[in-house]
Coordinates of all heavy atoms in Angstrom, one line a residue:
M1 N 41.7 73.6 172.0 CA 40.5 74.4 172.4 C 40.2 75.5 171.4 O 41.1 76.3 171.0 CB 40.8 75.0 173.8 CG 39.5 75.4 174.5 SD 39.8 76.3 176.0 CE 39.3 78.0 175.5
V2 N 39.0 75.5 171.0 CA 38.5 76.6 170.1 C 38.0 77.8 170.8 O 37.1 77.5 171.7 CB 37.5 76.0 169.1 CG1 37.0 77.1 168.1 CG2 38.0 74.8 168.3
I3 N 38.4 78.9 170.6 CA 38.0 80.1 171.2 C 36.7 80.6 170.5 O 36.7 80.8 169.3 CB 39.0 81.2 171.2 CG1 40.3 80.7 171.9 CG2 38.5 82.5 171.8 CD1 41.5 81.7 171.7
P4 N 35.6 80.9 171.2 CA 34.4 81.3 170.6 C 34.7 82.7 169.9 O 35.5 83.5 170.4 CB 33.4 81.6 171.7 CG 33.9 80.7 172.8 CD 35.4 80.6 172.6
L5 N 34.0 82.9 168.8 CA 34.3 84.1 167.9 C 34.1 85.4 168.7 O 34.9 86.3 168.6 CB 33.3 84.1 166.7 CG 33.7 85.1 165.7 CD1 35.0 84.8 165.0 CD2 32.6 85.2 164.6
A6 N 33.0 85.5 169.5 CA 32.8 86.7 170.3 C 33.9 87.0 171.3 O 34.3 88.1 171.4 CB 31.4 86.6 171.1
E7 N 34.4 86.0 171.9 CA 35.5 86.1 172.8 C 36.8 86.5 172.0 O 37.6 87.3 172.5 CB 35.8 84.8 173.6 CG 36.4 85.0 174.9 CD 36.5 83.7 175.6 OE1 35.4 83.0 175.9 OE2 37.5 83.3 176.0
A8 N 37.1 85.9 170.9 CA 38.2 86.2 170.1 C 38.1 87.6 169.7 O 39.2 88.3 169.6 CB 38.3 85.3 168.9
E9 N 37.0 88.1 169.3 CA 36.8 89.5 168.8 C 37.1 90.5 170.0 O 37.7 91.5 169.8 CB 35.4 89.7 168.3 CG 35.4 89.5 166.8 CD 34.0 89.7 166.2 OE1 33.1 90.1 167.0 OE2 33.8 89.3 165.1
S10 N 36.6 90.1 171.1 CA 36.8 91.0 172.3 C 38.3 91.1 172.7 O 38.8 92.0 173.2 CB 36.0 90.6 173.5 OG 36.4 89.4 174.1
L11 N 39.0 90.0 172.4 CA 40.4 89.9 172.7 C 41.2 90.8 171.8 O 42.2 91.3 172.2 CB 40.9 88.5 172.6 CG 40.7 87.5 173.7 CD1 41.0 86.1 173.3 CD2 41.4 87.9 175.0
T12 N 40.7 91.0 170.6 CA 41.4 91.9 169.7 C 41.2 93.3 170.0 O 42.0 94.2 169.5 CB 41.0 91.6 168.2 OG1 39.6 91.9 168.2 CG2 41.3 90.2 167.8
F13 N 40.3 93.6 170.9 CA 40.1 95.0 171.3 C 40.5 95.3 172.8 O 39.8 96.0 173.5 CB 38.6 95.4 171.1 CG 38.4 95.6 169.6 CD1 37.7 94.5 168.9 CD2 38.7 96.8 168.9 CE1 37.5 94.6 167.5 CE2 38.4 96.9 167.6 CZ 37.8 95.8 166.9
K14 N 41.6 94.6 173.1 CA 42.1 94.8 174.5 C 43.2 95.9 174.5 O 44.0 96.0 173.6 CB 42.7 93.6 175.1 CG 41.6 92.5 175.3 CD 40.7 92.8 176.4 CE 39.6 91.8 176.6 NZ 38.4 92.3 177.1
C15 N 43.2 96.8 175.4 CA 44.2 97.9 175.6 C 45.6 97.3 175.7 O 45.8 96.3 176.4 CB 43.9 98.7 176.8 SG 45.1 100.0 177.1
Y16 N 46.5 97.8 174.9 CA 47.9 97.3 175.0 C 48.5 97.5 176.4 O 49.3 96.6 176.8 CB 48.7 98.2 174.0 CG 50.1 97.7 173.9 CD1 50.4 96.6 173.1 CD2 51.1 98.3 174.6 CE1 51.8 96.2 173.0 CE2 52.5 97.9 174.5 CZ 52.8 96.9 173.7 OH 54.1 96.5 173.6
Y17 N 48.1 98.5 177.1 CA 48.6 98.8 178.4 C 47.8 98.1 179.5 O 48.3 97.9 180.6 CB 48.8 100.3 178.6 CG 49.6 100.9 177.5 CD1 49.0 101.6 176.5 CD2 51.0 100.8 177.6 CE1 49.7 102.1 175.5 CE2 51.7 101.4 176.6 CZ 51.1 102.0 175.5 OH 51.8 102.6 174.5
H18 N 46.5 97.9 179.3 CA 45.6 97.3 180.3 C 44.9 96.1 179.6 O 43.9 96.3 179.0 CB 44.6 98.3 180.8 CG 45.1 99.5 181.3 ND1 45.2 100.7 180.5 CD2 45.6 99.8 182.5 CE1 45.8 101.7 181.3 NE2 46.0 101.2 182.5
P19 N 45.4 94.9 179.7 CA 44.9 93.7 179.0 C 43.4 93.4 179.5 O 42.8 92.7 178.8 CB 45.8 92.6 179.4 CG 47.1 93.2 179.8 CD 46.7 94.6 180.4
D20 N 43.1 93.9 180.6 CA 41.7 93.7 181.1 C 40.6 94.7 180.7 O 39.5 94.6 181.0 CB 41.8 93.6 182.7 CG 42.3 94.8 183.3 OD1 43.2 95.5 182.7 OD2 41.9 95.2 184.4
R21 N 41.1 95.7 179.9 CA 40.2 96.8 179.5 C 39.9 96.8 178.0 O 40.8 96.4 177.2 CB 40.8 98.2 179.9 CG 40.8 98.4 181.4 CD 41.0 99.8 181.6 NE 41.5 100.0 183.0 CZ 42.0 101.1 183.5 NH1 42.2 102.2 182.6 NH2 42.4 101.2 184.7
F22 N 38.7 97.1 177.8 CA 38.2 97.2 176.3 C 38.9 98.4 175.7 O 38.9 99.6 176.3 CB 36.7 97.3 176.3 CG 36.1 97.6 174.9 CD1 36.3 96.6 173.9 CD2 35.5 98.8 174.6 CE1 35.8 96.8 172.7 CE2 35.0 99.0 173.4 CZ 35.1 98.0 172.4
A23 N 39.4 98.3 174.5 CA 40.1 99.4 173.8 C 39.3 99.8 172.6 O 39.4 99.1 171.5 CB 41.5 99.0 173.5
P24 N 38.5 100.8 172.6 CA 37.8 101.3 171.4 C 38.6 102.1 170.4 O 38.1 102.3 169.3 CB 36.7 102.2 172.1 CG 37.2 102.7 173.3 CD 38.3 101.8 173.8
R25 N 39.7 102.5 170.8 CA 40.5 103.4 169.9 C 41.9 102.7 169.6 O 42.3 101.8 170.2 CB 40.8 104.8 170.6 CG 39.6 105.6 170.6 CD 40.0 106.8 171.4 NE 38.8 107.6 171.9 CZ 38.3 108.6 171.2 NH1 38.9 108.9 170.1 NH2 37.3 109.3 171.6
R26 N 42.5 103.4 168.6 CA 43.8 102.9 168.2 C 44.7 104.1 168.2 O 44.3 105.2 167.7 CB 43.7 102.3 166.8 CG 44.9 101.5 166.3 CD 44.7 100.9 165.0 NE 43.9 99.7 165.0 CZ 44.4 98.5 165.2 NH1 45.8 98.3 165.3 NH2 43.7 97.4 165.2
C27 N 45.9 104.1 168.7 CA 46.8 105.2 168.7 C 47.2 105.6 167.2 O 47.5 104.7 166.4 CB 48.0 104.8 169.4 SG 49.4 106.0 169.3
G28 N 47.1 106.8 166.9 CA 47.4 107.3 165.6 C 48.9 107.3 165.2 O 49.3 107.4 164.1
L29 N 49.8 107.1 166.3 CA 51.2 107.1 166.0 C 51.8 105.7 166.0 O 52.5 105.3 165.1 CB 51.9 107.9 167.0 CG 51.6 109.4 167.0 CD1 52.2 110.1 168.2 CD2 52.2 110.1 165.7
C30 N 51.5 104.9 167.0 CA 52.1 103.5 167.1 C 51.1 102.4 166.6 O 51.5 101.3 166.4 CB 52.6 103.2 168.5 SG 51.4 103.1 169.7
G31 N 49.8 102.8 166.5 CA 48.8 101.9 166.0 C 48.3 100.9 167.1 O 47.6 99.9 166.7
R32 N 48.7 101.0 168.3 CA 48.4 100.1 169.4 C 47.0 100.4 169.8 O 46.6 101.5 169.8 CB 49.3 100.2 170.6 CG 50.6 99.5 170.4 CD 51.5 99.9 171.5 NE 52.9 99.3 171.2 CZ 54.0 99.8 171.7 NH1 54.0 100.8 172.5 NH2 55.1 99.2 171.5
L33 N 46.2 99.4 170.2 CA 44.8 99.5 170.7 C 44.9 100.2 172.2 O 45.7 99.7 173.0 CB 44.1 98.2 170.8 CG 43.7 97.7 169.4 CD1 43.4 96.2 169.5 CD2 42.6 98.4 168.8
I34 N 44.1 101.2 172.4 CA 44.2 101.9 173.7 C 42.8 102.1 174.3 O 41.9 102.3 173.5 CB 45.0 103.2 173.5 CG1 44.5 103.9 172.3 CG2 46.5 103.0 173.5 CD1 45.1 105.4 172.2
C35 N 42.7 102.0 175.6 CA 41.5 102.2 176.3 C 41.3 103.7 176.5 O 42.2 104.5 176.2 CB 41.4 101.4 177.6 SG 42.5 102.1 178.9
V36 N 40.1 104.0 177.0 CA 39.8 105.5 177.2 C 40.7 106.2 178.1 O 41.2 107.3 177.8 CB 38.3 105.6 177.8 CG1 38.0 107.0 178.0 CG2 37.3 104.9 176.8
S37 N 41.2 105.5 179.1 CA 42.1 106.2 180.1 C 43.5 106.3 179.5 O 44.3 107.1 180.0 CB 42.2 105.5 181.4 OG 42.7 104.2 181.3
C38 N 43.8 105.6 178.5 CA 45.2 105.7 177.8 C 45.1 106.7 176.6 O 46.2 107.0 176.1 CB 45.6 104.3 177.3 SG 46.1 103.2 178.6
T39 N 43.9 107.1 176.3 CA 43.8 107.9 175.1 C 44.1 109.4 175.5 O 43.5 109.9 176.4 CB 42.4 107.8 174.5 OG1 42.2 106.4 174.2 CG2 42.3 108.6 173.2
V40 N 44.9 110.0 174.7 CA 45.2 111.4 174.8 C 44.8 112.0 173.5 O 45.2 111.6 172.4 CB 46.7 111.8 175.2 CG1 46.9 113.2 175.3 CG2 47.1 111.0 176.4
L41 N 43.9 113.0 173.5 CA 43.5 113.7 172.3 C 44.5 114.8 171.9 O 44.5 115.9 172.4 CB 42.1 114.2 172.4 CG 41.0 113.1 172.3 CD1 39.6 113.7 172.7 CD2 40.9 112.5 170.9
H42 N 45.3 114.4 171.0 CA 46.3 115.4 170.5 C 45.7 116.1 169.3 O 44.7 115.7 168.8 CB 47.6 114.6 170.1 CG 48.8 115.5 169.8 ND1 49.2 115.9 168.6 CD2 49.6 116.1 170.6 CE1 50.2 116.6 168.7 NE2 50.5 116.8 170.0
T43 N 46.3 117.2 168.8 CA 45.8 117.9 167.7 C 45.7 117.1 166.5 O 44.9 117.3 165.6 CB 46.6 119.2 167.5 OG1 48.0 118.9 167.5 CG2 46.4 120.2 168.5
S44 N 46.6 116.2 166.4 CA 46.7 115.3 165.2 C 45.8 114.0 165.3 O 45.6 113.2 164.4 CB 48.1 114.8 164.9 OG 48.6 114.1 166.1
G45 N 45.0 113.9 166.4 CA 44.1 112.8 166.6 C 44.4 112.1 167.9 O 45.3 112.5 168.7
P46 N 43.6 111.0 168.2 CA 43.9 110.2 169.4 C 45.2 109.5 169.4 O 45.5 108.8 168.4 CB 42.7 109.3 169.5 CG 42.2 109.2 168.2 CD 42.5 110.4 167.4
V47 N 46.0 109.6 170.4 CA 47.3 108.9 170.5 C 47.4 108.3 172.0 O 46.6 108.7 172.8 CB 48.5 109.8 170.3 CG1 48.5 110.3 168.9 CG2 48.5 111.0 171.3
C48 N 48.2 107.3 172.1 CA 48.3 106.7 173.5 C 49.2 107.7 174.3 O 49.9 108.5 173.8 CB 48.9 105.3 173.3 SG 50.6 105.2 172.9
A49 N 49.0 107.5 175.7 CA 49.8 108.3 176.6 C 51.2 108.3 176.4 O 51.9 109.3 176.5 CB 49.4 107.9 178.0
L50 N 51.8 107.1 176.0 CA 53.2 107.0 175.8 C 53.7 107.8 174.6 O 54.6 108.6 174.6 CB 53.6 105.5 175.6 CG 55.0 105.2 175.9 CD1 55.4 105.1 177.4 CD2 55.3 103.8 175.2
C51 N 52.9 107.7 173.5 CA 53.3 108.5 172.3 C 53.1 110.0 172.5 O 53.9 110.7 172.1 CB 52.4 108.0 171.1 SG 52.9 106.5 170.4
Y52 N 52.1 110.3 173.3 CA 51.9 111.7 173.6 C 53.1 112.2 174.3 O 53.6 113.3 174.0 CB 50.6 111.9 174.4 CG 50.3 113.3 174.7 CD1 49.8 114.1 173.8 CD2 50.5 113.7 176.0 CE1 49.6 115.5 174.1 CE2 50.3 115.1 176.4 CZ 49.8 116.0 175.4 OH 49.6 117.2 175.7
M53 N 53.5 111.5 175.4 CA 54.6 112.0 176.2 C 55.9 112.1 175.3 O 56.6 113.1 175.4 CB 54.9 111.0 177.3 CG 53.8 111.0 178.4 SD 54.3 111.0 180.1 CE 55.2 109.5 180.2
R54 N 56.1 111.1 174.5 CA 57.3 111.1 173.6 C 57.2 112.3 172.7 O 58.2 113.0 172.5 CB 57.3 109.8 172.7 CG 58.2 108.8 173.4 CD 58.5 107.7 172.4 NE 58.6 106.4 173.1 CZ 58.2 105.3 172.6 NH1 57.5 105.2 171.4 NH2 58.3 104.1 173.3
K55 N 56.0 112.5 172.1 CA 55.8 113.6 171.1 C 56.0 114.9 171.7 O 56.7 115.8 171.2 CB 54.4 113.4 170.5 CG 54.3 114.1 169.1 CD 52.9 113.8 168.6 CE 52.6 114.8 167.5 NZ 53.4 114.7 166.3
V56 N 55.4 115.1 172.9 CA 55.4 116.4 173.6 C 56.8 116.7 174.1 O 57.3 117.8 173.8 CB 54.4 116.4 174.7 CG1 54.7 117.5 175.7 CG2 53.0 116.5 174.2
L57 N 57.5 115.6 174.7 CA 58.8 115.8 175.1 C 59.8 116.2 174.0 O 60.7 117.1 174.1 CB 59.4 114.6 175.8 CG 58.7 114.4 177.2 CD1 59.2 113.0 177.8 CD2 59.1 115.5 178.2
L58 N 59.5 115.5 172.9 CA 60.4 115.7 171.6 C 60.2 117.1 171.1 O 61.1 117.9 170.8 CB 60.0 114.7 170.6 CG 61.1 114.4 169.6 CD1 62.1 113.5 170.2 CD2 60.5 113.6 168.4
E59 N 58.9 117.5 171.0 CA 58.5 118.9 170.6 C 59.1 120.0 171.5 O 59.6 121.0 171.0 CB 57.1 119.0 170.4 CG 56.5 118.5 169.1 CD 55.0 118.4 169.0 OE1 54.4 119.0 169.9 OE2 54.6 117.8 168.0
E60 N 59.0 119.7 172.8 CA 59.6 120.7 173.8 C 61.1 120.8 173.6 O 61.6 121.9 173.7 CB 59.2 120.3 175.2 CG 57.9 120.9 175.6 CD 57.5 120.6 177.1 OE1 58.5 120.1 177.8 OE2 56.4 120.9 177.4
A61 N 61.7 119.7 173.5 CA 63.2 119.6 173.3 C 63.5 120.4 172.0 O 64.5 121.2 172.1 CB 63.7 118.2 173.3
R62 N 62.8 120.1 171.0 CA 63.1 120.8 169.7 C 62.9 122.3 169.8 O 63.7 123.1 169.4 CB 62.2 120.3 168.6 CG 62.6 119.0 168.0 CD 62.0 118.8 166.7 NE 62.2 117.4 166.2 CZ 61.2 116.6 165.8 NH1 60.0 117.1 165.7 NH2 61.5 115.4 165.4
L63 N 61.9 122.7 170.6 CA 61.5 124.1 170.8 C 62.7 124.8 171.6 O 63.1 125.9 171.3 CB 60.2 124.3 171.5 CG 59.5 125.6 171.4 CD1 58.9 125.8 170.0 CD2 58.4 125.6 172.5
R64 N 63.1 124.1 172.6 CA 64.2 124.6 173.5 C 65.5 124.8 172.7 O 66.1 125.8 172.8 CB 64.4 123.7 174.6 CG 64.5 124.4 176.0 CD 64.5 123.4 177.1 NE 63.2 123.0 177.4 CZ 62.9 121.8 178.0 NH1 63.8 120.9 178.2 NH2 61.6 121.5 178.3
I65 N 65.8 123.8 171.8 CA 67.0 123.9 170.9 C 66.9 125.2 170.0 O 67.8 126.0 169.8 CB 67.2 122.7 170.2 CG1 67.6 121.5 171.2 CG2 68.3 122.8 169.1 CD1 67.5 120.1 170.6
R66 N 65.7 125.3 169.4 CA 65.4 126.4 168.5 C 65.5 127.8 169.3 O 66.1 128.7 168.7 CB 64.0 126.2 167.9 CG 63.9 126.7 166.5 CD 62.5 126.5 165.9 NE 62.2 125.1 165.8 CZ 60.9 124.6 165.9 NH1 59.9 125.4 166.0 NH2 60.7 123.3 165.7
L67 N 64.9 127.9 170.5 CA 65.0 129.1 171.2 C 66.4 129.4 171.6 O 66.8 130.6 171.6 CB 64.1 129.0 172.5 CG 62.6 129.1 172.2 CD1 61.8 128.7 173.5 CD2 62.2 130.4 171.7
S68 N 67.2 128.4 172.0 CA 68.6 128.7 172.4 C 69.4 129.1 171.2 O 70.3 129.9 171.4 CB 69.1 127.4 173.1 OG 69.2 126.3 172.2
A69 N 69.1 128.5 170.1 CA 69.8 128.9 168.9 C 69.5 130.4 168.5 O 70.4 131.1 168.1 CB 69.4 128.1 167.7
I70 N 68.2 130.8 168.7 CA 67.8 132.2 168.5 C 68.6 133.2 169.4 O 69.1 134.2 169.0 CB 66.3 132.3 168.5 CG1 65.6 131.6 167.4 CG2 65.9 133.9 168.5 CD1 64.1 131.3 167.5
E71 N 68.5 132.7 170.7 CA 69.2 133.5 171.7 C 70.7 133.7 171.4 O 71.3 134.7 171.6 CB 69.0 132.9 173.1 CG 67.7 133.3 173.7 CD 67.4 132.5 175.0 OE1 68.3 131.9 175.5 OE2 66.2 132.5 175.3
A72 N 71.3 132.6 171.0 CA 72.7 132.6 170.7 C 73.0 133.5 169.5 O 74.0 134.2 169.5 CB 73.2 131.2 170.4
G73 N 72.1 133.5 168.5 CA 72.3 134.3 167.3 C 72.1 135.8 167.6 O 72.7 136.6 167.0
A74 N 71.2 136.1 168.6 CA 70.9 137.5 168.9 C 72.1 138.1 169.6 O 72.2 139.4 169.5 CB 69.6 137.5 169.8
R75 N 72.9 137.3 170.3 CA 74.0 137.9 171.0 C 75.1 138.3 170.1 O 75.3 137.8 169.1 CB 74.5 136.9 172.0 CG 74.1 137.3 173.5 CD 74.5 136.3 174.4 NE 73.3 135.6 175.0 CZ 73.3 134.3 175.3 NH1 74.3 133.6 175.2 NH2 72.2 133.8 175.8
Ligands
ZN101 ZN1 51.0 105.2 170.6
ZN102 ZN1 44.7 101.4 178.8

C-alpha cells in the first residue's frame, strides 16, 4: 500500500508523546517532535516537558549541591 504524500507528511509531524496530535515544534534538547501542550518555553528555546523536567531537576540538584558546599565552607 502506498501512503499518499500529504498523509505521509502529516505523519512526520506527529507529537512523540501524543501520536494523534500535530506537532509544530521540535524539542531543542532531544530533537523529538512535540505538540503545543508538550512544549515548554525554556530560556534556551522550546523544549519538551520531559527534557524541561530533567533539565530543571538537574539544575536544581546542582544548585543544591553548590549551596551546601558554600554552607559547608562557611562553617
Ligand atoms: Zn526533549
Ligand atoms: Zn504532545
Side-chain angles (χ1 to χ4, degrees):
M1 196 189 112
V2 179
I3 301 166
L5 192 65
E7 207 176 299
E9 265 178 13
S10 71
L11 280 171
T12 59
F13 288 96
K14 293 294 177 206
C15 174
Y16 182 82
Y17 305 98
H18 306 96
D20 58 326
R21 287 194 200 168
F22 174 68
R25 288 172 194 268
R26 198 179 274 273
C27 171
L29 292 170
C30 67
R32 283 170 184 159
L33 289 161
I34 44 173
C35 72
V36 178
S37 65
C38 288
T39 304
V40 182
L41 284 170
H42 194 258
T43 45
S44 57
V47 296
C48 71
L50 200 76
C51 282
Y52 179 76
M53 291 224 299
R54 266 194 211 142
K55 204 175 158 68
V56 166
L57 288 174
L58 206 74
E59 276 171 9
E60 267 186 14
R62 279 202 194 128
L63 199 72
R64 223 168 283 150
I65 290 162
R66 213 176 297 153
L67 284 173
S68 64
I70 292 164
E71 275 171 20
R75 248 176 255 150

